[in-house]
Amino acid sequence: MNLELSEEQTAVRRLAREFTEREIAPYAAEWDRAESVDRALVKKLGEVGFLGLTVPEEYGGSGGDHLSYVLVTEELGRGDSAVRGIVSVSLGLVAKTIAAWGSEEQKREWLPRLCAGHALGCFGLTEPGTGSDAGSLTTRAARTGATYVLNGGKTFITNGTWADVVLLFARTDPDEPGHRGVSAFLVPADTPGLTRREIHGKLGLRGQATAELVLEDVEVPASALLGPEGKGFSVAMSALAKGRMSVAAGCVGLAQAALDAAVAYAGQREQFGKPIARHQLVQELIADISVDVDAARLLTWRVADLIDRGRPFATESATAKLFASEAAVRAASNALQVHGGYGYIDEYPAGKLLRDARVMTLYEGTSQIQKLLIGRARTGVSAF
Ligand code: FAD
């Protein structure tokens, strides 16, 4: 793996850093308190090309390699994980999945809008009764001639109330209770019978719209099917394998923000007659954050490098997600410790970083699920 960035990669990282410093970081605390990112930001993210990274230019994307995507995701995560998540889901889980699995008609219909930020996507897999065991989902898609009729419900859906299209997973074969009976659909969010309700009271990522979806006799044409019938679980797993790299990159950015905040505070706060940065145990906290940032970044870049070289990457992606998410929680907690009591007050960024970090070990597969994926790859035996 070449650790030297190309000129293009350096330029895209600089662009992302400047965009984040201008358009995101100054407002992140305000959006967190208001429980909503400014929606005007979505269009700006589209204009700068960040909602179309790695999507071919012929479909309105900005092209580019996966390392560039990781670099941008890291910078967005450094500014605000709520914003980073909006991009990771709409681009990483939805647009890239349409690009990989969609028909020509589906790509032409959705990708230009999603890449431009004129539309957002959400990923509807989790249900109230099925989280880690996603293959047992119960939302039903019944074929009736030229259409499918969808009934059921989804929960915890990022971008749920903002999205224009739902990449929705439903059971097309009621006689097959496992993942083989699941299919993927592209459902326009304004389809009659689809209702959405925002979930409030989240610990972190408060600026993000997280929603519950209810489907009552939602009728879509057979052309809404994404990929072959019965292959929906493969569609979901392929999306999540790359999605985990995106979460990991966001965690690197979050941990880097924790490091920046801890270093800045330790340099100016004095106790016992000197800056706390000169106390060895404070340096230990900062060194621990720094090691976590570096290790998480290298694991994440490795995934991008494997994808760009066309090599298998799923286990490495689970490894990066597991390590980076746990590292982000540790880093934010250590940064809060460096801030002492002030870290507990939302005038300083450490508290928000810790609240935002906490979900990273839960979504797109909990830490336990990542361990089972890695264990299965290493032993050849499934514990699921
Ligand atoms: P459960 O599966 O009930 O797990 C509970 C506990 O049991 C966990 O600790 C888990 O690790 C453990 N556990 C479960 N099975 C095993 C096992 N076999 N071995 C060992 N331990 C096990 N979902 C979407 O589809 N789209 C989204 O956009 C989305 N966004 C989200 C945003 C937020 C803010 C949150 C909180 C969640 C989001 N999710 C989304 C859902 C998320 O992916 C699930 O919460 C996650 O997969 C875990 O499922 P669960 O919450 O039902 O927990």
Side-chain angles (χ1 to χ4, degrees):
M1 183 170 89
N2 181 8
L3 295 178
E4 204 64 43
L5 297 181
S6 69
E7 265 181 44
E8 291 81 23
Q9 289 161 344
T10 306
V12 87
R13 179 161 71 175
R14 192 179 318 114
L15 179 70
R17 190 163 294 174
E18 287 167 4
F19 181 90
T20 299
E21 280 166 11
R22 191 178 62 247
E23 304 285 353
I24 301 174
Y27 311 105
E30 189 182 316
W31 293 335
D32 183 60
R33 286 189 207 108
E35 287 196 43
S36 182
V37 167
D38 180 358
R39 277 188 84 152
L41 186 70
V42 173
K43 198 158 160 277
K44 292 181 187 171
L45 286 162
E47 281 164 3
V48 75
F50 294 165
L51 284 166
L53 287 162
T54 80
V55 174
E57 289 176 18
E58 59 173 311
Y59 298 113
S62 41
D65 56 13
H66 285 80
L67 188 51
S68 299
Y69 172 54
V70 157
L71 294 170
V72 170
T73 308
E74 179 184 328
E75 292 302 324
L76 297 177
R78 191 171 175 178
D80 187 2
S81 292
V83 173
R84 193 278 304 162
I86 292 169
V87 175
S88 287
V89 170
S90 191
L91 166 62
L93 293 183
V94 181
K96 282 155 72 90
T97 307
I98 296 173
W101 290 84
S103 64
E104 193 54 29
E105 196 188 338
Q106 288 168 328
K107 290 184 203 177
R108 300 256 167 238
E109 182 178 4
W110 290 111
L111 290 180
R113 277 190 276 167
L114 290 168
C115 294
H118 297 156
L120 270 185
C122 70
F123 185 82
L125 179 64
T126 304
E127 299 182 353
T130 58
S132 301
D133 186 13
S136 65
L137 60 83
T138 60
T139 292
R140 178 82 172 96
R143 180 94 192 224
T144 52
T147 65
Y148 287 91
V149 178
L150 301 155
N151 278 287
K154 300 286 171 181
T155 193
F156 290 137
I157 307 305
T158 303
N159 294 347
T161 49
W162 285 21
D164 302 274
V165 60
V166 187
L167 170 49
L168 189 108
F169 299 89
R171 186 164 300 285
T172 37
D173 183 353
D175 299 325
E176 170 52 75
H179 59 81
R180 277 184 293 274
V182 173
S183 300
F185 295 88
L186 291 173
V187 182
D190 58 2
T191 310
L194 173 59
T195 50
R196 304 179 280 173
R197 190 184 66 81
E198 194 146 333
I199 298 171
H200 289 286
K202 296 199 299 280
L203 178 67
L205 301 187
R206 290 186 182 159
Q208 227 172 59
T210 309
E212 208 175 81
L213 311 184
V214 176
L215 298 109
E216 288 171 310
D217 293 330
V218 174
E219 194 170 358
V220 292
S223 60
L225 191 66
L226 182 72
E229 187 174 295
K231 287 282 174 205
F233 200 70
S234 301
V235 174
M237 291 307 114
S238 71
L240 290 172
K242 282 192 183 166
R244 286 174 185 137
M245 173 186 73
S246 184
V247 174
C251 289
V252 174
L254 190 154
Q256 179 70 55
L259 179 61
D260 298 343
V263 168
Y265 189 79
Q268 53 99 0
R269 173 72 172 172
E270 293 196 358
Q271 288 295 287
F272 298 96
K274 55 185 178 185
I276 59 168
R278 294 182 62 189
H279 295 299
Q280 288 183 342
L281 296 181
V282 172
Q283 288 212 356
E284 182 189 41
L285 288 167
I286 289 172
D288 285 346
I289 304 174
S290 178
V291 172
D292 270 336
V293 171
D294 278 0
R297 182 175 285 131
L298 287 171
L299 286 171
T300 307
W301 284 22
R302 178 176 68 161
V303 185
D305 179 65
L306 288 169
I307 297 175
D308 286 332
R309 286 190 294 118
R311 302 282 299 277
F313 63 90
T315 307
E316 289 77 5
S317 193
T319 303
K321 197 270 182 183
L322 171 64
F323 185 85
S325 59
E326 299 284 346
V329 175
R330 277 195 302 274
S333 180
N334 282 336
L336 194 151
Q337 193 70 18
V338 169
H339 284 72
Y342 294 94
Y344 208 65
I345 309 294
D346 79 349
E347 201 181 313
Y348 290 86
K352 176 179 181 301
L353 291 172
L354 183 56
R355 289 189 287 104
D356 287 348
R358 197 58 194 80
V359 77
M360 311 295 175
T361 71
L362 300 173
Y363 66 14
E364 298 208 21
T366 64
S367 289
Q368 287 72 31
I369 294 303
Q370 307 307 326
K371 287 179 186 176
L372 294 182
L373 292 172
I374 297 163
R376 182 175 66 185
R378 295 290 170 248
T379 63
V381 181
S382 176
F384 286 110

